[in-house]
Amino acid sequence: MANSSIQVVLREPGRVYRPGELIAGVVHVRVHAECKCDGLDVAVAFFTHGKGNTATKQIQAFRLFVGTWAGGTEHQYPFEIPAPRDPLAYQGTLLNVAFRIEARADVPWAIDPKSVVPVAVQHDPPPSGLVISWNEKLLAKGNNTGCLIFSAVLLGLSALVMGIAAIQLEPGAIGLACPLGIFGIIGLAITLPRALAERKLGAVEMGLRLGGGGGYREPQEEGQLFVSIKTQSTEGVSSMTATLEILEQVVRGSGSNATTHRHPLHSLRIPLVAAGNGHYEARVPLPPPGQFPYSFSAPSNQIIWRLTGHVDIAGWPDWKKVVPLTAKPGRARV
């Protein structure tokens, strides 16, 4: 039997908390035999459940005790932790995000006793603002030639390592060659079509900006996203479009047994129209704040916002660029 056991008891079980409200409770410790505790911690954490692998992360933690417990004793350690403001609770098709209180005692040379209690946190009223941002570096002109050379080098190294493994019968070398080959193939699949498209179109520039005032590069609360694509030639171009997508994406399993599942929440495709001198633009309406979940990222679990610029070239590989967006709750509009 373990030297000690712990249990979290909330002062108000079943209560729904608002962000910032104090979650109060007590950690009960029962000591069966004298033991040292390097730290009794209590934390509020989010966790995911659904189709993907479970992920959890502590948001805020407090240390309640360090020392030695005498055998045959019981102890109570009260705590108060503010309900988290971020991330938002979410119930979806593939992904759910919820909260819990976790307590753990760090006991040397023994299994650490733990206790977990779910807690409901609700944003009421929900945030009504929508703050959109992106990494401006992803819009910079890419060096397709460099990426192609790097991908080809990875494939070459993979083939070389596989050859050495076959000659010297080194199974471990195969484990190194496979990832090199996979990354090389992925790199070629991404960069080769774009490089071929730019041989037809010339250098292609894609830009994003939010409507209204404020700095060009600053996150803003706005209702539409302006997308622009500039090309040196439009020969063979059938269409140019911008697509805003919101989706749940989760991964189940690991390694070779990993399976990715996706569930679309929103998809809107807008054609770009000519604005002169090889310049094309589109206004992409953003969904009303709160209509769809905001961005979320945890291991194996994501809510993705992304904008894809697409140039369809008849009889030739298309040009495409995907820009991840970050959607966060903002201040409520008055």
Side-chain angles (χ1 to χ4, degrees):
M1 183 174 65
N3 291 338
S4 60
S5 61
I6 64 177
Q7 182 182 13
V8 174
V9 177
L10 298 180
R11 183 183 299 171
E12 299 177 85
R15 174 182 168 183
V16 178
Y17 294 87
R18 270 55 179 179
E21 292 183 337
L22 293 178
I23 304 171
V26 176
V27 178
H28 294 267
V29 179
R30 178 173 294 178
V31 186
H32 309 292
E34 180 178 310
C35 63
K36 180 182 178 182
C37 174
D38 287 343
L40 173 64
D41 297 326
V42 63
V44 60
F46 76 76
F47 69 99
T48 66
H49 59 99
K51 190 76 172 180
N53 299 327
T54 298
T56 183
K57 181 180 180 180
Q58 292 187 353
I59 300 170
Q60 192 168 13
F62 296 94
R63 177 146 293 180
L64 302 177
F65 173 79
V66 176
T68 300
W69 287 316
T73 59
E74 295 186 8
H75 308 271
Q76 297 183 1
Y77 298 95
F79 65 84
E80 289 184 337
I81 297 181
R85 301 183 183 277
D86 184 64
L88 305 185
Y90 174 67
Q91 290 186 340
T93 301
L94 303 178
L95 170 64
N96 302 285
V97 182
F99 302 92
R100 65 190 187 190
I101 298 296
E102 302 176 345
R104 173 180 172 271
D106 184 2
V107 179
W109 307 105
I111 297 176
D112 294 341
K114 302 177 183 178
S115 180
V116 175
V117 175
V119 61
V121 180
Q122 179 177 326
H123 291 72
D124 186 17
S128 60
L130 175 61
V131 178
I132 296 290
S133 61
W134 58 88
N135 186 347
E136 198 71 28
K137 293 180 180 179
L138 296 179
L139 292 172
K141 294 181 182 179
N143 186 353
N144 290 315
T145 302
C147 292
L148 284 172
I149 293 174
F150 181 69
S151 300
V153 169
L154 288 180
L155 285 175
L157 287 175
S158 175
L160 177 62
V161 174
M162 288 288 284
I164 294 174
I167 294 173
Q168 299 185 359
L169 299 178
E170 290 287 345
I174 298 177
L176 174 62
C178 288
L180 291 175
I182 290 172
F183 284 119
I185 292 172
I186 292 174
L188 285 177
I190 293 173
T191 58
L192 184 58
R194 187 184 298 174
L196 291 174
E198 292 193 354
R199 286 184 64 87
K200 188 86 169 178
L201 303 174
V204 181
E205 297 181 43
M206 179 174 169
L208 297 180
R209 67 179 178 86
L210 289 161
Y216 179 87
R217 300 172 186 269
E218 297 175 359
Q220 304 175 45
E221 297 181 81
E222 298 297 340
Q224 56 188 355
L225 188 63
F226 289 82
V227 183
S228 66
I229 294 179
K230 295 181 180 180
T231 65
Q232 295 178 349
S233 171
T234 58
E235 181 183 354
V237 173
S238 301
S239 64
M240 294 189 188
T241 59
T243 303
L244 174 65
E245 295 176 283
I246 307 170
L247 65 150
E248 299 174 1
Q249 178 173 292
V250 300
V251 177
R252 186 72 174 180
S254 61
S256 60
N257 294 321
T259 303
T260 301
H261 303 272
R262 297 180 180 90
H263 175 70
L265 300 172
H266 176 71
S267 181
L268 178 63
R269 179 177 294 178
I270 302 292
L272 276 72
V273 297
N277 298 325
H279 183 194
Y280 296 80
E281 286 191 345
R283 298 183 181 186
V284 180
L286 296 173
Q291 181 176 354
F292 297 104
Y294 298 95
S295 301
F296 174 80
S297 181
S300 300
N301 298 270
Q302 291 180 291
I303 297 174
I304 297 173
W305 289 56
R306 65 189 181 195
L307 192 287
T308 302
H310 185 194
V311 180
D312 188 353
I313 309 172
W316 198 263
D318 295 346
W319 185 93
K320 184 183 293 185
K321 176 171 283 191
V322 180
V323 181
L325 304 176
T326 300
K328 294 183 178 181
R331 62 184 182 274
R333 297 182 187 275
V334 179

PDB file of all heavy atoms in Angstrom, residues 199-227:
ATOM      1  N   ARG A 199       7.422  29.758 -62.671  1.00  0.00           N
ATOM      2  CA  ARG A 199       8.085  29.838 -63.974  1.00  0.00           C
ATOM      3  C   ARG A 199       7.105  30.360 -65.021  1.00  0.00           C
ATOM      4  O   ARG A 199       7.499  30.988 -66.000  1.00  0.00           O
ATOM      5  CB  ARG A 199       8.606  28.457 -64.382  1.00  0.00           C
ATOM      6  CG  ARG A 199       9.834  28.002 -63.615  1.00  0.00           C
ATOM      7  CD  ARG A 199      10.345  26.677 -64.141  1.00  0.00           C
ATOM      8  NE  ARG A 199      10.791  26.802 -65.535  1.00  0.00           N
ATOM      9  CZ  ARG A 199      12.002  27.160 -65.899  1.00  0.00           C
ATOM     10  NH1 ARG A 199      12.908  27.473 -64.982  1.00  0.00           N
ATOM     11  NH2 ARG A 199      12.322  27.240 -67.184  1.00  0.00           N
ATOM     12  N   LYS A 200       5.822  30.124 -64.795  1.00  0.00           N
ATOM     13  CA  LYS A 200       4.789  30.579 -65.722  1.00  0.00           C
ATOM     14  C   LYS A 200       4.342  31.998 -65.392  1.00  0.00           C
ATOM     15  O   LYS A 200       4.134  32.829 -66.280  1.00  0.00           O
ATOM     16  CB  LYS A 200       3.594  29.631 -65.622  1.00  0.00           C
ATOM     17  CG  LYS A 200       2.508  29.845 -66.657  1.00  0.00           C
ATOM     18  CD  LYS A 200       2.814  29.085 -67.923  1.00  0.00           C
ATOM     19  CE  LYS A 200       1.610  29.068 -68.852  1.00  0.00           C
ATOM     20  NZ  LYS A 200       1.902  28.372 -70.120  1.00  0.00           N
ATOM     21  N   LEU A 201       4.193  32.287 -64.086  1.00  0.00           N
ATOM     22  CA  LEU A 201       3.624  33.564 -63.654  1.00  0.00           C
ATOM     23  C   LEU A 201       4.678  34.619 -63.357  1.00  0.00           C
ATOM     24  O   LEU A 201       4.360  35.803 -63.279  1.00  0.00           O
ATOM     25  CB  LEU A 201       2.782  33.365 -62.388  1.00  0.00           C
ATOM     26  CG  LEU A 201       1.628  32.369 -62.458  1.00  0.00           C
ATOM     27  CD1 LEU A 201       1.005  32.189 -61.080  1.00  0.00           C
ATOM     28  CD2 LEU A 201       0.576  32.827 -63.460  1.00  0.00           C
ATOM     29  N   GLY A 202       5.925  34.196 -63.172  1.00  0.00           N
ATOM     30  CA  GLY A 202       6.921  35.100 -62.623  1.00  0.00           C
ATOM     31  C   GLY A 202       6.789  35.110 -61.101  1.00  0.00           C
ATOM     32  O   GLY A 202       6.039  34.323 -60.517  1.00  0.00           O
ATOM     33  N   ALA A 203       7.513  35.991 -60.450  1.00  0.00           N
ATOM     34  CA  ALA A 203       7.431  36.084 -58.990  1.00  0.00           C
ATOM     35  C   ALA A 203       6.012  36.457 -58.570  1.00  0.00           C
ATOM     36  O   ALA A 203       5.394  37.340 -59.151  1.00  0.00           O
ATOM     37  CB  ALA A 203       8.428  37.110 -58.469  1.00  0.00           C
ATOM     38  N   VAL A 204       5.494  35.757 -57.542  1.00  0.00           N
ATOM     39  CA  VAL A 204       4.143  35.993 -57.048  1.00  0.00           C
ATOM     40  C   VAL A 204       4.223  36.523 -55.623  1.00  0.00           C
ATOM     41  O   VAL A 204       4.948  35.977 -54.784  1.00  0.00           O
ATOM     42  CB  VAL A 204       3.300  34.699 -57.083  1.00  0.00           C
ATOM     43  CG1 VAL A 204       1.889  34.972 -56.588  1.00  0.00           C
ATOM     44  CG2 VAL A 204       3.264  34.127 -58.493  1.00  0.00           C
ATOM     45  N   GLU A 205       3.493  37.605 -55.366  1.00  0.00           N
ATOM     46  CA  GLU A 205       3.434  38.191 -54.027  1.00  0.00           C
ATOM     47  C   GLU A 205       2.009  38.079 -53.496  1.00  0.00           C
ATOM     48  O   GLU A 205       1.052  38.394 -54.197  1.00  0.00           O
ATOM     49  CB  GLU A 205       3.849  39.661 -54.051  1.00  0.00           C
ATOM     50  CG  GLU A 205       5.283  39.897 -54.480  1.00  0.00           C
ATOM     51  CD  GLU A 205       5.624  41.377 -54.448  1.00  0.00           C
ATOM     52  OE1 GLU A 205       5.240  42.054 -53.466  1.00  0.00           O
ATOM     53  OE2 GLU A 205       6.253  41.855 -55.399  1.00  0.00           O
ATOM     54  N   MET A 206       1.889  37.664 -52.255  1.00  0.00           N
ATOM     55  CA  MET A 206       0.585  37.591 -51.602  1.00  0.00           C
ATOM     56  C   MET A 206       0.612  38.481 -50.367  1.00  0.00           C
ATOM     57  O   MET A 206       1.595  38.481 -49.613  1.00  0.00           O
ATOM     58  CB  MET A 206       0.260  36.153 -51.216  1.00  0.00           C
ATOM     59  CG  MET A 206      -1.076  35.970 -50.515  1.00  0.00           C
ATOM     60  SD  MET A 206      -1.456  34.209 -50.260  1.00  0.00           S
ATOM     61  CE  MET A 206      -2.855  34.339 -49.142  1.00  0.00           C
ATOM     62  N   GLY A 207      -0.439  39.251 -50.164  1.00  0.00           N
ATOM     63  CA  GLY A 207      -0.512  40.156 -49.019  1.00  0.00           C
ATOM     64  C   GLY A 207      -1.847  40.036 -48.300  1.00  0.00           C
ATOM     65  O   GLY A 207      -2.866  39.686 -48.896  1.00  0.00           O
ATOM     66  N   LEU A 208      -1.830  40.333 -47.016  1.00  0.00           N
ATOM     67  CA  LEU A 208      -3.038  40.353 -46.192  1.00  0.00           C
ATOM     68  C   LEU A 208      -3.081  41.651 -45.401  1.00  0.00           C
ATOM     69  O   LEU A 208      -2.045  42.148 -44.961  1.00  0.00           O
ATOM     70  CB  LEU A 208      -3.063  39.182 -45.201  1.00  0.00           C
ATOM     71  CG  LEU A 208      -3.111  37.757 -45.739  1.00  0.00           C
ATOM     72  CD1 LEU A 208      -3.130  36.770 -44.584  1.00  0.00           C
ATOM     73  CD2 LEU A 208      -4.318  37.549 -46.624  1.00  0.00           C
ATOM     74  N   ARG A 209      -4.273  42.190 -45.230  1.00  0.00           N
ATOM     75  CA  ARG A 209      -4.449  43.302 -44.309  1.00  0.00           C
ATOM     76  C   ARG A 209      -5.895  43.313 -43.838  1.00  0.00           C
ATOM     77  O   ARG A 209      -6.797  42.810 -44.523  1.00  0.00           O
ATOM     78  CB  ARG A 209      -4.095  44.640 -44.965  1.00  0.00           C
ATOM     79  CG  ARG A 209      -5.016  45.081 -46.081  1.00  0.00           C
ATOM     80  CD  ARG A 209      -4.587  46.442 -46.639  1.00  0.00           C
ATOM     81  NE  ARG A 209      -5.433  46.850 -47.747  1.00  0.00           N
ATOM     82  CZ  ARG A 209      -6.582  47.505 -47.604  1.00  0.00           C
ATOM     83  NH1 ARG A 209      -7.019  47.813 -46.371  1.00  0.00           N
ATOM     84  NH2 ARG A 209      -7.313  47.851 -48.642  1.00  0.00           N
ATOM     85  N   LEU A 210      -6.093  43.886 -42.668  1.00  0.00           N
ATOM     86  CA  LEU A 210      -7.423  44.006 -42.099  1.00  0.00           C
ATOM     87  C   LEU A 210      -8.002  45.361 -42.449  1.00  0.00           C
ATOM     88  O   LEU A 210      -7.278  46.352 -42.537  1.00  0.00           O
ATOM     89  CB  LEU A 210      -7.374  43.831 -40.581  1.00  0.00           C
ATOM     90  CG  LEU A 210      -7.075  42.399 -40.126  1.00  0.00           C
ATOM     91  CD1 LEU A 210      -6.588  42.407 -38.683  1.00  0.00           C
ATOM     92  CD2 LEU A 210      -8.292  41.509 -40.264  1.00  0.00           C
ATOM     93  N   GLY A 211      -9.316  45.422 -42.653  1.00  0.00           N
ATOM     94  CA  GLY A 211      -9.968  46.678 -42.998  1.00  0.00           C
ATOM     95  C   GLY A 211      -9.987  47.636 -41.831  1.00  0.00           C
ATOM     96  O   GLY A 211      -9.826  47.252 -40.674  1.00  0.00           O
ATOM     97  N   GLY A 212     -10.198  48.916 -42.135  1.00  0.00           N
ATOM     98  CA  GLY A 212     -10.309  49.926 -41.084  1.00  0.00           C
ATOM     99  C   GLY A 212      -8.972  50.511 -40.718  1.00  0.00           C
ATOM    100  O   GLY A 212      -7.965  50.329 -41.378  1.00  0.00           O
ATOM    101  N   GLY A 213      -8.963  51.247 -39.597  1.00  0.00           N
ATOM    102  CA  GLY A 213      -7.755  51.937 -39.172  1.00  0.00           C
ATOM    103  C   GLY A 213      -6.795  51.023 -38.458  1.00  0.00           C
ATOM    104  O   GLY A 213      -7.007  49.832 -38.308  1.00  0.00           O
ATOM    105  N   GLY A 214      -5.713  51.627 -37.966  1.00  0.00           N
ATOM    106  CA  GLY A 214      -4.717  50.856 -37.256  1.00  0.00           C
ATOM    107  C   GLY A 214      -3.543  50.516 -38.145  1.00  0.00           C
ATOM    108  O   GLY A 214      -3.561  50.696 -39.361  1.00  0.00           O
ATOM    109  N   GLY A 215      -2.479  49.975 -37.546  1.00  0.00           N
ATOM    110  CA  GLY A 215      -1.288  49.618 -38.286  1.00  0.00           C
ATOM    111  C   GLY A 215      -1.509  48.409 -39.167  1.00  0.00           C
ATOM    112  O   GLY A 215      -2.303  47.524 -38.864  1.00  0.00           O
ATOM    113  N   TYR A 216      -0.783  48.371 -40.266  1.00  0.00           N
ATOM    114  CA  TYR A 216      -0.933  47.291 -41.233  1.00  0.00           C
ATOM    115  C   TYR A 216      -0.592  45.938 -40.622  1.00  0.00           C
ATOM    116  O   TYR A 216      -1.227  44.931 -40.904  1.00  0.00           O
ATOM    117  CB  TYR A 216      -0.024  47.571 -42.429  1.00  0.00           C
ATOM    118  CG  TYR A 216      -0.052  46.514 -43.497  1.00  0.00           C
ATOM    119  CD1 TYR A 216      -0.998  46.564 -44.513  1.00  0.00           C
ATOM    120  CD2 TYR A 216       0.873  45.478 -43.502  1.00  0.00           C
ATOM    121  CE1 TYR A 216      -1.021  45.601 -45.512  1.00  0.00           C
ATOM    122  CE2 TYR A 216       0.861  44.507 -44.491  1.00  0.00           C
ATOM    123  CZ  TYR A 216      -0.083  44.577 -45.492  1.00  0.00           C
ATOM    124  OH  TYR A 216      -0.107  43.618 -46.466  1.00  0.00           O
ATOM    125  N   ARG A 217       0.422  45.908 -39.769  1.00  0.00           N
ATOM    126  CA  ARG A 217       0.899  44.644 -39.221  1.00  0.00           C
ATOM    127  C   ARG A 217       0.319  44.336 -37.840  1.00  0.00           C
ATOM    128  O   ARG A 217       0.671  43.329 -37.245  1.00  0.00           O
ATOM    129  CB  ARG A 217       2.431  44.653 -39.137  1.00  0.00           C
ATOM    130  CG  ARG A 217       3.119  44.847 -40.479  1.00  0.00           C
ATOM    131  CD  ARG A 217       4.619  45.046 -40.300  1.00  0.00           C
ATOM    132  NE  ARG A 217       5.268  45.373 -41.552  1.00  0.00           N
ATOM    133  CZ  ARG A 217       5.784  44.481 -42.382  1.00  0.00           C
ATOM    134  NH1 ARG A 217       5.714  43.215 -42.085  1.00  0.00           N
ATOM    135  NH2 ARG A 217       6.364  44.854 -43.503  1.00  0.00           N
ATOM    136  N   GLU A 218      -0.542  45.178 -37.324  1.00  0.00           N
ATOM    137  CA  GLU A 218      -1.033  44.995 -35.964  1.00  0.00           C
ATOM    138  C   GLU A 218      -2.336  44.212 -35.954  1.00  0.00           C
ATOM    139  O   GLU A 218      -3.203  44.409 -36.808  1.00  0.00           O
ATOM    140  CB  GLU A 218      -1.254  46.361 -35.298  1.00  0.00           C
ATOM    141  CG  GLU A 218       0.021  47.176 -35.142  1.00  0.00           C
ATOM    142  CD  GLU A 218      -0.265  48.557 -34.582  1.00  0.00           C
ATOM    143  OE1 GLU A 218      -1.457  48.840 -34.356  1.00  0.00           O
ATOM    144  OE2 GLU A 218       0.685  49.316 -34.385  1.00  0.00           O
ATOM    145  N   PRO A 219      -2.491  43.297 -34.963  1.00  0.00           N
ATOM    146  CA  PRO A 219      -3.772  42.617 -34.824  1.00  0.00           C
ATOM    147  C   PRO A 219      -4.876  43.637 -34.557  1.00  0.00           C
ATOM    148  O   PRO A 219      -4.686  44.574 -33.795  1.00  0.00           O
ATOM    149  CB  PRO A 219      -3.559  41.699 -33.612  1.00  0.00           C
ATOM    150  CG  PRO A 219      -2.078  41.554 -33.495  1.00  0.00           C
ATOM    151  CD  PRO A 219      -1.509  42.852 -33.986  1.00  0.00           C
ATOM    152  N   GLN A 220      -6.023  43.460 -35.217  1.00  0.00           N
ATOM    153  CA  GLN A 220      -7.122  44.393 -35.072  1.00  0.00           C
ATOM    154  C   GLN A 220      -8.440  43.636 -34.970  1.00  0.00           C
ATOM    155  O   GLN A 220      -8.522  42.466 -35.326  1.00  0.00           O
ATOM    156  CB  GLN A 220      -7.196  45.347 -36.264  1.00  0.00           C
ATOM    157  CG  GLN A 220      -5.926  46.131 -36.523  1.00  0.00           C
ATOM    158  CD  GLN A 220      -6.041  46.947 -37.788  1.00  0.00           C
ATOM    159  OE1 GLN A 220      -7.034  47.605 -38.034  1.00  0.00           O
ATOM    160  NE2 GLN A 220      -5.020  46.893 -38.609  1.00  0.00           N
ATOM    161  N   GLU A 221      -9.458  44.319 -34.494  1.00  0.00           N
ATOM    162  CA  GLU A 221     -10.800  43.776 -34.474  1.00  0.00           C
ATOM    163  C   GLU A 221     -11.549  44.355 -35.674  1.00  0.00           C
ATOM    164  O   GLU A 221     -11.935  45.517 -35.667  1.00  0.00           O
ATOM    165  CB  GLU A 221     -11.511  44.138 -33.179  1.00  0.00           C
ATOM    166  CG  GLU A 221     -10.850  43.551 -31.939  1.00  0.00           C
ATOM    167  CD  GLU A 221     -11.607  43.919 -30.690  1.00  0.00           C
ATOM    168  OE1 GLU A 221     -12.614  43.260 -30.395  1.00  0.00           O
ATOM    169  OE2 GLU A 221     -11.205  44.878 -30.037  1.00  0.00           O
ATOM    170  N   GLU A 222     -11.729  43.550 -36.693  1.00  0.00           N
ATOM    171  CA  GLU A 222     -12.351  44.042 -37.918  1.00  0.00           C
ATOM    172  C   GLU A 222     -13.274  42.983 -38.495  1.00  0.00           C
ATOM    173  O   GLU A 222     -13.231  41.823 -38.113  1.00  0.00           O
ATOM    174  CB  GLU A 222     -11.283  44.428 -38.951  1.00  0.00           C
ATOM    175  CG  GLU A 222     -10.374  45.557 -38.499  1.00  0.00           C
ATOM    176  CD  GLU A 222     -11.091  46.870 -38.276  1.00  0.00           C
ATOM    177  OE1 GLU A 222     -12.204  47.045 -38.807  1.00  0.00           O
ATOM    178  OE2 GLU A 222     -10.549  47.713 -37.559  1.00  0.00           O
ATOM    179  N   GLY A 223     -14.086  43.378 -39.473  1.00  0.00           N
ATOM    180  CA  GLY A 223     -15.059  42.466 -40.026  1.00  0.00           C
ATOM    181  C   GLY A 223     -14.675  41.856 -41.356  1.00  0.00           C
ATOM    182  O   GLY A 223     -15.406  41.021 -41.872  1.00  0.00           O
ATOM    183  N   GLN A 224     -13.529  42.258 -41.930  1.00  0.00           N
ATOM    184  CA  GLN A 224     -13.151  41.685 -43.208  1.00  0.00           C
ATOM    185  C   GLN A 224     -11.632  41.691 -43.369  1.00  0.00           C
ATOM    186  O   GLN A 224     -10.919  42.498 -42.783  1.00  0.00           O
ATOM    187  CB  GLN A 224     -13.816  42.442 -44.359  1.00  0.00           C
ATOM    188  CG  GLN A 224     -13.550  43.925 -44.398  1.00  0.00           C
ATOM    189  CD  GLN A 224     -14.408  44.629 -45.441  1.00  0.00           C
ATOM    190  OE1 GLN A 224     -15.126  43.997 -46.194  1.00  0.00           O
ATOM    191  NE2 GLN A 224     -14.322  45.938 -45.474  1.00  0.00           N
ATOM    192  N   LEU A 225     -11.189  40.757 -44.187  1.00  0.00           N
ATOM    193  CA  LEU A 225      -9.768  40.566 -44.438  1.00  0.00           C
ATOM    194  C   LEU A 225      -9.517  40.814 -45.919  1.00  0.00           C
ATOM    195  O   LEU A 225     -10.169  40.225 -46.780  1.00  0.00           O
ATOM    196  CB  LEU A 225      -9.367  39.145 -44.053  1.00  0.00           C
ATOM    197  CG  LEU A 225      -7.902  38.768 -44.044  1.00  0.00           C
ATOM    198  CD1 LEU A 225      -7.145  39.589 -43.002  1.00  0.00           C
ATOM    199  CD2 LEU A 225      -7.755  37.277 -43.724  1.00  0.00           C
ATOM    200  N   PHE A 226      -8.585  41.717 -46.229  1.00  0.00           N
ATOM    201  CA  PHE A 226      -8.252  42.021 -47.614  1.00  0.00           C
ATOM    202  C   PHE A 226      -7.083  41.131 -48.049  1.00  0.00           C
ATOM    203  O   PHE A 226      -6.052  41.084 -47.390  1.00  0.00           O
ATOM    204  CB  PHE A 226      -7.864  43.491 -47.769  1.00  0.00           C
ATOM    205  CG  PHE A 226      -9.019  44.441 -47.636  1.00  0.00           C
ATOM    206  CD1 PHE A 226      -9.483  44.834 -46.389  1.00  0.00           C
ATOM    207  CD2 PHE A 226      -9.656  44.944 -48.769  1.00  0.00           C
ATOM    208  CE1 PHE A 226     -10.558  45.702 -46.255  1.00  0.00           C
ATOM    209  CE2 PHE A 226     -10.726  45.821 -48.657  1.00  0.00           C
ATOM    210  CZ  PHE A 226     -11.177  46.199 -47.392  1.00  0.00           C
ATOM    211  N   VAL A 227      -7.274  40.457 -49.180  1.00  0.00           N
ATOM    212  CA  VAL A 227      -6.252  39.562 -49.725  1.00  0.00           C
ATOM    213  C   VAL A 227      -5.826  40.096 -51.085  1.00  0.00           C
ATOM    214  O   VAL A 227      -6.669  40.468 -51.909  1.00  0.00           O
ATOM    215  CB  VAL A 227      -6.787  38.128 -49.887  1.00  0.00           C
ATOM    216  CG1 VAL A 227      -5.690  37.202 -50.376  1.00  0.00           C
ATOM    217  CG2 VAL A 227      -7.365  37.627 -48.574  1.00  0.00           C
TER     218      VAL A 227
END
